[in-house]
Amino acid sequence: MSAAKRFASALAGQWGATLYNAALSTLLSFALGRFLGPEAFGGYSYILTIASLFAILQDGGFSTLIFRESAHPTQGLTHKIPLMRQALGHAGLVTLAGALLVLALPLRDKQAMYLALAYYALFSAGNYVSAELKGHGLFEREALWRMCVRTLTCAGVGLALCLPSPGPAAIFAGWLAGQAVALALPQAAPARVLPALRIEPSLYRSCGSFLLISAATTIYFKSDIILLTQLSGDQAAVGQYAAAYRLIEAAVLFCTPLTHLFFRKLRVGLNQPGQFRRSLRIMLAVMCALAVCGTALAMWLGPWIIRLAFGERYAHAQTLCLWLLPSLLFILPNGVLTQALVAVGREGFYARVTIGTALANVALNVALIPFLGAEGSALATVCTEAVLTAGLAAGLWVGYLRRT
């Protein structure tokens, strides 16, 4: 099979899995919004946001490291204990620390928080499996694995919704049960190994930048929900914003498999600067075209989709989506720029840029939410992504393209 056919086959499998997972996730989000209502949906989204932020520490940057090292090992980076065992050991230790932290803090709905932490620990293990499969170029198998995981987790949440008056704890119990069943499948065999309680320091040096990148990226994707909750005190507004943001998440979810395929191609061709440049130009052109077309289509159909999916109670979300959607013009090209920086080993610079933009996003949210409410959060998202695009492009040009 030619390289073009292999790429097309891998992309078809990845997109097929993405569309399948997106359809299930979208239907589940709509069901959660309708069954829980704006206030309870806002509370669930708040706990989910907090837990997803802590999940960065649970992952520890190991999923990116496994992906990169499986695709093309870094010269000078050696490890005596297999990466998978060390990654699982890290996730387990951090989860235990998180549970102790929840016990000590005066948090509401601690049961839901414990279940969310446990779910994200198993979620990290599932991500390690995906990373190893993609690193070895087994994108079709990885796509099947993701489809199995999403089917089982959605089934678990669906069963939780059948309970009388389900709350956040029941929903997270459903997520946890589905993920546990998925990890018992044959595809998850690489993760069914004994976790290592000793993590080699050299790996943490390599994972440090990836951890900072994930932390900063999640902060500027998730801080709006947290700050909107804290500064407005209006759980219904949080639910409206969360509903509108589902359109952004759907677009990013659709394009993520393409950026992963791009990353492996860039990483494998790292020692051929001419090929690297040509590939990068094509990838950026493709992603920019998708950004323009996707944004135009979403702004036309977005309000109708939200009204159809969530119902008349989410009328404000129909307006909010028009404020949020222009961010796609920057988010999608940023996916290619970030993969290129990691491929050339400039994750340290990438980490600094994302930390700066995350702090800028927090500052913008704090400044705009008191005056504009949820619209202020949407405007902060668009501005943050524009700044990130400029920083990533400058770093790639100065750090690599100008020198080769």
Side-chain angles (χ1 to χ4, degrees):
M1 185 182 294
S2 66
K5 288 184 178 180
R6 286 197 301 271
F7 184 87
S9 176
L11 182 58
Q14 288 287 304
W15 267 347
T18 298
L19 289 173
Y20 176 81
N21 288 0
L24 285 184
S25 298
T26 301
L27 291 173
L28 183 61
S29 294
F30 296 161
L32 288 171
R34 284 183 175 272
F35 275 87
L36 299 179
E39 185 172 352
F41 187 55
Y44 163 77
S45 298
Y46 178 68
I47 295 174
L48 181 67
T49 301
I50 295 293
S52 65
L53 287 172
F54 191 78
I56 300 168
L57 297 177
Q58 291 171 293
D59 179 271
F62 277 95
S63 60
T64 305
L65 183 65
I66 291 171
F67 187 9
R68 191 182 73 175
E69 296 306 305
S70 299
H72 184 77
T74 301
Q75 186 176 4
L77 181 63
T78 58
H79 45 87
K80 298 178 181 179
I81 306 173
L83 273 178
M84 183 65 75
R85 289 189 58 203
Q86 298 192 67
L88 293 171
H90 167 88
L93 292 172
V94 173
T95 301
L96 177 60
L100 295 175
L101 186 62
V102 170
L103 180 64
L105 294 177
L107 299 175
R108 294 179 299 174
D109 209 345
K110 289 192 175 186
Q111 183 182 14
M113 193 66 72
Y114 286 131
L115 291 167
L117 286 176
Y119 162 68
Y120 273 109
L122 300 189
F123 179 82
S124 296
N127 280 347
Y128 300 153
V129 174
S130 289
E132 184 169 299
L133 290 172
K134 288 185 294 186
H136 290 297
L138 302 174
F139 287 97
E140 292 90 344
R141 287 177 57 184
E142 193 276 338
L144 179 60
W145 160 245
R146 284 192 292 118
M147 291 172 68
C148 291
V149 172
R150 182 55 62 196
T151 300
L152 291 168
T153 51
C154 286
V157 176
L159 290 175
L161 287 175
C162 294
L163 298 174
S165 302
I171 302 303
F172 284 114
W175 284 115
L176 177 62
Q179 189 73 27
V181 173
L183 288 172
L185 296 176
Q187 297 97 313
R192 291 199 295 272
V193 295
L194 184 65
L197 299 181
R198 177 183 175 276
I199 315 299
E200 297 178 33
S202 61
L203 293 185
Y204 274 128
R205 286 194 293 270
S206 300
C207 288
S209 293
F210 297 136
L211 179 60
L212 290 175
I213 289 167
S214 297
T217 300
T218 303
I219 286 172
Y220 73 70
F221 269 119
K222 299 294 186 181
S223 62
D224 45 9
I225 292 288
I226 297 174
L227 292 172
L228 189 59
T229 300
Q230 298 296 329
L231 296 177
S232 72
D234 187 353
Q235 289 282 11
V238 177
Q240 299 281 351
Y241 184 86
Y245 205 88
R246 290 299 186 267
L247 293 178
I248 302 295
E249 292 175 341
V252 173
L253 185 66
F254 179 77
C255 291
T256 296
L258 187 58
T259 61
H260 287 172
L261 285 166
F262 285 168
F263 169 77
R264 190 172 191 278
K265 186 173 180 61
L266 290 171
R267 179 69 176 175
V268 172
L270 186 60
N271 297 328
Q272 299 174 304
Q275 177 184 333
F276 185 95
R277 284 172 172 269
R278 286 191 299 272
S279 298
L280 181 60
R281 284 196 297 268
I282 294 173
M283 294 170 187
L284 280 174
V286 168
M287 204 59 80
C288 287
L290 286 174
V292 172
C293 296
T295 300
L297 183 63
M299 293 192 74
W300 177 38
L301 297 177
W304 175 78
I305 293 173
I306 289 176
R307 183 171 62 254
L308 177 67
F310 287 96
E312 296 298 332
R313 290 184 297 174
Y314 288 84
H316 189 201
Q318 299 172 38
T319 302
L320 284 174
C321 77
L322 299 179
W323 286 71
L324 277 167
L325 286 169
S327 64
L328 290 177
L329 296 171
F330 306 103
I331 291 175
L332 300 189
N334 285 348
V336 175
L337 293 173
T338 56
Q339 298 300 329
L341 282 170
V342 174
V344 301
R346 294 219 71 200
E347 59 267 15
F349 172 83
Y350 176 26
R352 292 191 294 272
V353 170
T354 50
I355 289 171
T357 51
L359 294 175
N361 180 262
V362 171
L364 285 169
N365 272 287
V366 171
L368 295 174
I369 287 175
F371 300 99
L372 298 175
E375 283 81 357
S377 287
L379 183 58
T381 297
V382 176
C383 294
T384 299
E385 291 297 335
V387 171
L388 181 60
T389 300
L392 295 175
L396 188 60
W397 170 257
V398 174
Y400 182 79
L401 296 178
R402 193 173 66 175
R403 298 178 181 179
T404 56

